[in-house]
Amino acid sequence: QEYTVPELEEYVKAYTSQGLASNDIRHFVGDGHDRAAEKDYKAAMLNAEGQTDEQGIHPDSYVIGKWYRMLNAKGDCFVYVHNMTKAITAARPENFDEPSAEELERERRRGIPLTMLEAEVDRVTAQKKVAIIYGSEDTAEKIKAFYGYRGAVADTWPLAVGRVRAKVSPSTALERCRTAVVKACKNGETLLVHLGPDIADFVGKFSIGENRKYLHSSVFDFQGLLESSIRERMYLEEDKEAGQCVVRDGFRVVVTACYDASGDMSSVRLQELKDKVPFFEDMQVVRCRG
C-alpha cells in the first residue's frame, strides 16, 4: 500500500511522539519490561516483525517506493519515513532522493510543508537572497522552535507589543536579539528573525540610532553582516575571538512573518512589512504550511 503525505505526517507524529524512531539518539530508554513493550509497539506499528534488518527497516524500503523527510513530533529534528513500508529512521537512507525541482515548485505554489523548508531556504540562499517565510502563527511558532534547536532566534515580537504584553522590557528584548545575532555569526548557523503577529518598526525605530548596536538594519540584508564595521557595533569585547568579530561560513538570515486575521498576507500586512522591515523588497518570499 502506498500512503499519502498527510497520512505519513500523522503516522510520523504519532510514532515519534513515543521517541521510537530507529537510530534516533534520543531513543526510548527504560528497563527490560519497557524495552519489551517498545519492541511490541514497533512491531505493531510496522506490521513487519521478523521482516526487518538490524535497524528495524523492512528490506522493501530500499528497492521500492520512496522516502520522505519529515519533522518529528517535537519539531526539533528530521526523520525519514517510507511511503509504502512506513519504516522510520533518523539516519538518511542510501536510496533517499532529494525533492526534484518540479516537486519543489509544485509545493511552493501551495505553500511548502515544513519538511521541505530547509531545502527551499538553501535554494533562496544560493540566489543570494534572504528568505522571508509567510505562514500562520502556528507555523511560525514551529519554525521558531526548529531554528531555536538548529540555529539562533532573534524574537522581535516583544519590541512590537511593549513591556506589558511581552512581559519583558524593550532593552532586554533588544539585548536578546543582539546575543542571537552574535551566536549565529560565531557558530556559522542560521539566524531566524521572528517578527511574530505584531511587527516592530525597524525602519523608524529599532534599527536606527543607538539601537543599531543591538539589531542593525544590515541584519536584514543578504551578507550585510559580512561588513566588519557593522559587527564591531554589535559585538561586545567578550564576544570577540582574539580581538576579532568572527563570522563563520554557514551564517545566514531567515525571517518569519505571520499571516494576519484574513488567514493570508493581506495588502495591509504587506504594506506594513514594506514600511517596517529593512530590505524587505530584496527578500525572497517562501510560503509555508504545517
Side-chain angles (χ1 to χ4, degrees), residues 191-239:
L191 170 71
L192 173 69
V193 179
H194 175 71
L195 298 182
D198 301 274
I199 304 172
D201 184 1
F202 298 100
V203 172
K205 184 175 182 180
F206 290 112
S207 289
I208 62 174
E210 284 299 307
N211 287 334
R212 286 183 293 181
K213 65 184 180 183
Y214 297 106
L215 201 62
H216 198 283
S217 59
S218 292
V219 169
F220 297 90
D221 184 23
F222 184 79
Q223 295 187 332
L225 288 181
L226 295 187
E227 175 58 53
S228 60
S229 64
I230 303 300
R231 299 196 305 280
E232 285 282 353
R233 290 178 178 270
M234 301 185 68
Y235 281 49
L236 302 179
E237 282 302 316
E238 57 263 35
D239 297 325

Side-chain angles (χ1 to χ4, degrees), residues 10 34 43 62 107 119 151-152 182 191 200 204-205 207 225 247 250 279 282:
E10 288 302 313
D34 290 333
Y62 299 112
E107 292 294 340
V182 172
L191 170 71
K205 184 175 182 180
S207 289
L225 288 181
V247 57
F279 300 101
D282 297 329

Side-chain angles (χ1 to χ4, degrees), residues 124-143:
V124 173
T125 301
Q127 296 180 348
K128 301 186 184 303
K129 295 276 190 178
V130 170
I132 181 165
I133 305 166
Y134 292 174
S136 66
E137 288 186 41
D138 181 62
T139 296
E141 286 297 319
K142 290 178 180 177
I143 295 170

Side-chain angles (χ1 to χ4, degrees), residues 2 60-68 82-85 95 97:
E2 184 172 349
D60 286 349
S61 306
Y62 299 112
V63 294
I64 60 174
K66 68 179 294 184
W67 293 91
Y68 288 91
H82 195 271
N83 70 332
M84 297 185 73
T85 65
N95 60 328
D97 293 323

Side-chain angles (χ1 to χ4, degrees), residues 64-225:
I64 60 174
K66 68 179 294 184
W67 293 91
Y68 288 91
R69 181 170 56 193
M70 297 183 172
L71 282 170
N72 66 356
K74 289 181 64 178
D76 60 3
C77 73
F78 284 105
V79 296
Y80 299 84
V81 58
H82 195 271
N83 70 332
M84 297 185 73
T85 65
K86 296 175 81 173
I88 294 180
T89 177
R92 178 187 173 114
E94 292 182 0
N95 60 328
F96 170 75
D97 293 323
E98 293 288 351
S100 67
E102 291 76 14
E103 288 175 314
L104 284 172
E105 181 58 32
R106 185 166 58 250
E107 292 294 340
R108 195 176 298 124
R109 285 195 296 268
R110 58 192 292 254
I112 62 171
L114 286 168
T115 54
M116 300 175 74
L117 181 58
E118 273 202 308
E120 183 68 357
V121 171
D122 288 343
R123 183 191 69 82
V124 173
T125 301
Q127 296 180 348
K128 301 186 184 303
K129 295 276 190 178
V130 170
I132 181 165
I133 305 166
Y134 292 174
S136 66
E137 288 186 41
D138 181 62
T139 296
E141 286 297 319
K142 290 178 180 177
I143 295 170
K144 184 171 76 168
F146 175 73
Y147 281 115
Y149 179 76
R150 295 284 294 272
V153 176
D155 187 357
T156 68
W157 179 76
L159 300 174
V161 300
R163 183 194 300 265
V164 175
R165 282 182 62 190
K167 296 180 173 58
V168 61
S169 68
S171 59
T172 298
L174 280 168
E175 174 56 21
R176 289 175 179 174
C177 289
R178 188 199 68 80
T179 301
V181 173
V182 172
K183 174 180 180 292
C185 284
K186 293 176 65 174
N187 293 343
E189 57 193 10
T190 300
L191 170 71
L192 173 69
V193 179
H194 175 71
L195 298 182
D198 301 274
I199 304 172
D201 184 1
F202 298 100
V203 172
K205 184 175 182 180
F206 290 112
S207 289
I208 62 174
E210 284 299 307
N211 287 334
R212 286 183 293 181
K213 65 184 180 183
Y214 297 106
L215 201 62
H216 198 283
S217 59
S218 292
V219 169
F220 297 90
D221 184 23
F222 184 79
Q223 295 187 332
L225 288 181

Side-chain angles (χ1 to χ4, degrees), residues 51-62:
Q51 302 178 40
T52 63
D53 63 15
E54 65 275 10
Q55 301 296 339
I57 306 299
H58 195 289
D60 286 349
S61 306
Y62 299 112

